[in-house]
Amino acid sequence: MQIDLNDLKTKGFLDIPIDSNINIVEEIKRMKKEKNAVILAHFYQTGDIQDIADFVGDSLKLAQEAAKTNADIILFAGVHFMAETAKILSPGKKVLLPDLEAGCSLADSAPAEAFAEFKKQHPNHLVISYVNTTAEIKSMTDIICTSSNAKEIIDDLPKDQKIIFAPDKNLGNYINGVTGRSMVLWDGACHVHEEFSVERILELKEQNPDAKILAHPECERPVLIIADHIGSTSSLLNYTKNSKFDKFIVATESGIMHQMRKANPQKTFIGAPPKDSTCACNDCNFMKLNSLQKLYNALKYELPEITLEEEIRVKAEVPIRRMLEISAKLGL
Ligand code: 13P
Ligand code: SF4
């Protein structure tokens, strides 16, 4: 079949109609075997995508899987920086992202040129960047971290080490608080996590006094102050499994509740309300661009593929490897 590559350029994905008689889930499973492909999915994907994935996890677990997989193809059900990280770690593999438009507002909040200037203004600082960054920012970074290892990686550094933390000011503020550091913060944020309303969460808590509030550290400080537990997606999920409580208000992207409900069918999970009551703000519009149809076409036609300039890839690999080494050393 002739593929219209213009679709890739204009839409970011292959908009090829799929025969309605096809069982998409079974076909994806069959192609996966035939092509020796692995599907990695982030917790913020829709439930149907999480259920078909070989590995579902947080950013750290997905990077660890991407580094060690024996597959020939990695189909990444997540956003662009995640697939890019997989490509940086596994350059010999074909890395596919179902929709190239699946970006990240947080990664976009740190443009390379401005960041290079920021670094110049802070000489003698070590650069720690959250994994939610472009390959170019990673190539200017000393150590990458995720929300599940940021505290430990920073605690591992000498107390007098000057640090730039980028790009998430909310995570950076939180880490400054729990480590007692004064890292210089880049002024970036995630549009999903900044949208939660502390007032509306407190109203919800009043109606559900038995509910525990869970928050991702990408949320703003007022939300973190009222949270009973703060952590990465996997940390929030584990908390729900190990907690004796039965009801939770969840201040992070809605996709994580799929795993929470699967692991705790008897417990209740309520999405934290956003400031704007009319929007579906708990959904990351980038994460939710992926669909089973796009995964099917991506695997079938092996497009869209993530490619990187080798010079950038090699430089970006160094701080990610450092993160993986430190995480392994610390047993994370
Ligand atoms: P984690 O899954 O590592 O907690 O990251 C959350 C996130 O925002 C990914 O985009
Ligand atoms: Fe980026 Fe926020 Fe979406 Fe995560 S939830 S991918 S940080 S925009």
Side-chain angles (χ1 to χ4, degrees), residues 150-159 181 326 329-330:
K151 179 187 177 299
E152 290 77 4
I153 285 181
I154 286 154
D155 275 341
D156 201 44
L157 296 169
K159 282 278 167 272
R181 305 252 179 179
I326 300 170
K329 179 184 90 179
L330 300 175

Side-chain angles (χ1 to χ4, degrees), residues 277-313:
S277 56
T278 60
C279 79
C281 307
N282 305 31
D283 286 329
C284 170
N285 50 326
F286 299 113
M287 285 280 182
K288 297 300 199 274
L289 278 178
N290 293 326
S291 64
L292 278 185
Q293 286 74 11
K294 288 180 189 172
L295 260 74
Y296 170 90
N297 276 334
L299 200 47
K300 180 164 179 182
Y301 301 103
E302 301 184 16
L303 285 168
E305 186 180 353
I306 298 293
T307 54
L308 279 166
E309 270 178 45
E310 185 58 6
E311 201 187 324
I312 295 275
R313 191 202 67 74

Side-chain angles (χ1 to χ4, degrees), residues 157-176:
L157 296 169
K159 282 278 167 272
D160 56 352
Q161 175 66 58
K162 290 181 180 167
I163 302 171
I164 289 175
F165 187 85
D168 190 356
K169 63 178 173 194
N170 294 315
L171 176 64
N173 254 319
Y174 169 70
I175 298 292
N176 271 343

